[in-house]
Amino acid sequence: MTSSDRCLWWRGPQGDRPRDDSWTEIGEEAFQEKERRIIGRDRLPGPVPDWAEDLFRIARAAFIADKYVRRSVVQDRWTRRISLAVPVTEHERWQTAVVRTHLTALLQTLTGDLWDVEFRPLTGHYVQEAMVCPEEPRASEVALFSGGLDSLSWAATRSHADTLRPLLLVMFREIGLLRLQRQVFEAVERLDGPRPVMLLPMSQTPAGDGSGLRLETSSRTRGLLYAAGAIRAAAAHGVGIVHIPENGQLALNPPLTPARSAACSTRSVHPWTLDRLNALVAAVGDAGSAMRVVNPLARLTKGEVCMAGRDAGLTSSDLESTLSCGKPPARRSGGPPLANCGVCFPCLVRRSGLLHANGTDGTRYEALPWAGDLPFDRSTDWRALQRWLLNRYTLPDLLTDTPLPPGTDPITALDLIRRGREELAQLLRLSDAAGSADAA
């Protein structure tokens, strides 16, 4: 073990102690919220299978490790070596070489770090009756709901499905943006589709580690935590598919520069990530459960997603009220109370999508990416996007970043990127027009 290695020991319910002083204890206190609010126990109609509870516990432990182990202290300021010990109920399942390989491959794809995860039997395991509310209706479909354009569009579309069984939307609260997330959900309710829509709010705010230092600013395991929470809810509802709606353009998320390749760009809904997650779930899940995670918007650009939402009855105002920012106020110090900064890459893709669908974008942003007075460090994504659009994007570019899983058609994926680039090119034309108007 080197000085840059970190070993974190997630405590079980009876507070089992690490085997030696090289391990740092973490547990429920690592989250700001109380456990009941974190995991939404009061809205599940049936018991959660042990494997799904184990997966959620592992995802929570990995998320805290991701926040507590800072990249700034390692030599390349990115790649960390993290050892994580987690108690699990289904110990025999998690101990197999296949499961450990799937899990470490998934974590490495997401974060770009070197992970060693070990498991020990969970002691003091018991089922709380409060977890199960049999009177709660069982959903027939489960989807993550962030309050963003993609999840709103998918929820609006599915609210019109020809079934009376509910659609369950699993929403992880964003501190400082709870009102906005609720307003976006109300836009789905206002559609008054024939299908009932339920909301399951969950929380995941990390607390400080006691050092007084700022936590790691990157958070590549956040997507795994969200997915595991939705899997947990789906298992309790008896639903076999979890939808994670993300436009295919950002799911593939091609790096704008070589410095942003692989895990340096978010890969939480990349086809390879979902393939690894599904392989893990298949290995640890109950026989015959066939739980899968899918991205229903994988073949659509941002603009095409916006058009689908509009076709489902959403207004331009509904679409513009959403959160798309990679650095919203909760994760950006000193920012005004606006949901979208307007200059990060997700905001640029958002702008291009709304322009494609509506011909205009009335969202109130913090800044214009092409503003002449924008600080240099805040125009980084805009400059990178301009250079990226000036260069060709080819099949080798697609395949050499993060691999596509077996069965994925690379030509279809490349065409998706091409259509997304055409939408983004509208921003360049818009900025040119704005510059011409200013000059006149």
Side-chain angles (χ1 to χ4, degrees), residues 298-312:
R299 296 193 174 188
L300 301 182
T301 67
K302 193 74 163 186
E304 291 161 357
V305 168
C306 292
M307 293 178 69
R310 192 184 60 189
D311 292 345

Side-chain angles (χ1 to χ4, degrees), residues 92-149:
E92 293 78 11
R93 297 190 193 188
W94 289 96
Q95 276 291 86
T96 66
V98 170
V99 168
R100 292 168 65 91
T101 298
H102 288 324
L103 178 61
T104 53
L106 175 60
L107 290 172
Q108 184 167 342
T109 297
L110 285 170
T111 70
D113 301 308
L114 302 175
W115 291 79
D116 179 34
V117 185
E118 64 176 71
F119 305 105
R120 63 188 191 276
L122 179 70
T123 58
H125 175 64
Y126 61 97
V127 176
Q128 294 182 354
E129 294 299 326
M131 291 176 62
V132 181
C133 297
E135 68 276 8
E136 189 73 16
R138 286 182 178 264
S140 60
E141 189 173 355
V142 173
L144 278 177
F145 185 80
S146 65
L149 271 169

Side-chain angles (χ1 to χ4, degrees), residues 7 10 56 95 114 121 152 155 159 164 173-174 182-183 203 223 237 239 247 264 278 289 327 355 362 436:
C7 302
W10 185 272
F56 190 51
Q95 276 291 86
L114 302 175
L152 171 61
S159 72
L164 295 181
R173 308 168 191 256
E174 286 280 358
R182 186 71 199 188
Q183 288 173 347
S203 298
H237 279 265
V239 175
N247 69 86
C264 291
N278 283 324
S289 64
K327 299 178 181 178
L355 284 173
S436 299

Side-chain angles (χ1 to χ4, degrees), residues 65-351:
D66 193 14
K67 301 301 291 184
Y68 280 14
V69 184
R70 298 161 181 83
R71 298 188 188 273
S72 59
V73 302
V74 299
Q75 187 173 9
D76 65 356
R77 302 184 70 83
W78 185 262
T79 310
R80 303 163 295 183
R81 298 181 62 91
I82 301 174
S83 295
L84 187 62
V86 187
V88 290
T89 303
E90 297 285 351
H91 184 251
E92 293 78 11
R93 297 190 193 188
W94 289 96
Q95 276 291 86
T96 66
V98 170
V99 168
R100 292 168 65 91
T101 298
H102 288 324
L103 178 61
T104 53
L106 175 60
L107 290 172
Q108 184 167 342
T109 297
L110 285 170
T111 70
D113 301 308
L114 302 175
W115 291 79
D116 179 34
V117 185
E118 64 176 71
F119 305 105
R120 63 188 191 276
L122 179 70
T123 58
H125 175 64
Y126 61 97
V127 176
Q128 294 182 354
E129 294 299 326
M131 291 176 62
V132 181
C133 297
E135 68 276 8
E136 189 73 16
R138 286 182 178 264
S140 60
E141 189 173 355
V142 173
L144 278 177
F145 185 80
S146 65
L149 271 169
D150 298 344
S151 61
L152 171 61
S153 177
W154 178 249
T157 300
R158 298 307 299 162
S159 72
H160 294 297
D162 186 20
T163 176
L164 295 181
R165 291 191 61 188
L167 166 67
L168 177 66
L169 301 177
V170 180
M171 182 185 77
F172 278 79
R173 308 168 191 256
E174 286 280 358
I175 298 299
L177 298 171
L178 301 182
R179 180 178 296 180
L180 180 147
Q181 288 180 302
R182 186 71 199 188
Q183 288 173 347
V184 174
F185 173 71
E186 289 171 356
V188 180
E189 291 184 310
R190 285 196 300 273
L191 294 176
D192 197 26
R195 185 184 198 182
V197 180
M198 304 187 300
L199 184 68
L200 175 62
M202 304 177 78
S203 298
Q204 45 69 56
T205 313
D209 62 355
S211 68
L213 301 174
R214 185 181 185 184
L215 297 180
E216 167 59 35
T217 55
S218 69
S219 188
R220 295 292 189 259
T221 55
R222 185 186 297 269
L224 175 60
L225 176 62
Y226 292 175
I231 288 171
R232 180 183 182 278
H237 279 265
V239 175
I241 295 180
V242 170
H243 291 105
I244 303 183
E246 178 81 79
N247 69 86
Q249 187 179 349
L250 276 181
L252 290 169
N253 204 8
L256 299 182
T257 70
R260 303 185 185 195
S261 62
C264 291
S265 293
T266 302
R267 293 288 182 264
S268 58
V269 197
H270 191 280
W272 179 260
T273 302
L274 296 188
D275 183 72
R276 294 299 85 206
L277 176 57
N278 283 324
L280 175 64
V281 169
V284 299
D286 293 329
S289 64
M291 175 74 72
R292 293 179 60 247
V293 178
V294 301
N295 177 6
L297 306 178
R299 296 193 174 188
L300 301 182
T301 67
K302 193 74 163 186
E304 291 161 357
V305 168
C306 292
M307 293 178 69
R310 192 184 60 189
D311 292 345
L314 296 170
T315 66
S316 296
S317 178
D318 291 333
L319 295 173
E320 292 165 357
S321 69
T322 55
L323 167 69
S324 300
C325 189
K327 299 178 181 178
R331 298 195 291 274
R332 186 176 71 252
S333 61
L338 297 177
N340 299 286
C341 74
V343 298
C344 69
F345 185 55
C347 277
L348 298 178
V349 174
R350 169 199 176 88
R351 286 180 181 272

Side-chain angles (χ1 to χ4, degrees), residues 410-421:
I411 302 302
T412 300
L414 185 63
D415 184 64
L416 171 69
I417 297 299
R418 178 192 58 78
R419 302 196 311 273
R421 281 167 62 92

